[in-house]
Amino acid sequence: MTAAVLGADGLLRCPWGDSADDYRVYHDTEWGVPVHGDGPLFERISLEAFQSGLSWITILRRREGFRAAFAGFEIERVAEYGPADVERLLQDEGIIRNRAKVEATVANARAALDLGEGELDALVWRYATDPARPAPRTLADVPAVTPESTALAKDLKKHGFRFVGPTTAYALMQACGLVNDHLVDCEYRAPR
């Protein structure tokens, strides 16, 4: 039932957002801020897929490694990756070396490319929730899956995306501002 916590700087935050410096920066500057554009959304879809089964801080701490390994998440470049690139990436200590996730990222770049310019943004944002939705009071009020995330995952899969189940889709929605799950007392609840 964890509610917002008071940080050392005197600001109330979602509890996870005050648990480590990496989390604090991410919580305060990125999480829940609207993300638009095919490239930025492709990066977030990719990172959320790699996070599956791991803690988010593991991904945050390797984010620059992911960006280097996946050509800054430039969709066109990643879509051109072949078997040799996959093998190279499986040796890259700067990322999570999971074959299924690496191959999914390449497949997802191809799927994003097939959608056409601006279409990934349109597809993802189609599932934004009502901004008037009541704010969660505690972490127990924050769902892991919603009807919107289930529909988004289904739509992404229909277009050839992989590693995008309803839970991953909901984490994407939270991270990219499609839903505002900052707790009601969190200083960062206000739209940014």
Side-chain angles (χ1 to χ4, degrees), residues 10 152 160:
L152 172 56

Side-chain angles (χ1 to χ4, degrees), residues 106-150:
V106 175
N108 291 350
R110 293 174 184 153
L113 197 59
D114 287 346
L115 283 172
E117 189 172 336
E119 292 302 311
L120 179 58
D121 185 285
L123 185 155
V124 169
W125 277 91
R126 188 176 308 140
Y127 297 97
T129 62
D130 180 354
R133 180 178 119 171
R137 296 201 159 282
T138 69
L139 292 181
D141 299 329
V142 179
V145 174
T146 63
E148 294 88 356
S149 75
T150 301

Side-chain angles (χ1 to χ4, degrees), residues 42-52 54-74 77-78 81 88-90 92-103 105-106:
F42 171 64
E43 176 180 353
R44 298 299 183 85
I45 289 169
S46 301
L47 295 176
E48 293 295 347
F50 272 100
Q51 185 272 328
S52 182
L54 303 170
S55 68
W56 181 244
I57 203 158
T58 300
I59 304 305
L60 279 179
R61 290 180 175 161
R62 294 182 182 193
R63 193 173 192 181
E64 291 310 312
F66 280 109
R67 286 176 172 160
F70 288 100
F73 290 100
E74 290 180 36
R77 289 183 61 194
V78 177
Y81 283 14
R88 173 183 53 82
L89 291 169
L90 291 174
D92 189 332
E93 294 181 6
I95 67 170
I96 305 301
R97 296 175 289 174
N98 176 296
R99 181 177 296 277
K101 292 176 182 183
V102 168
E103 290 175 347
T105 302
V106 175

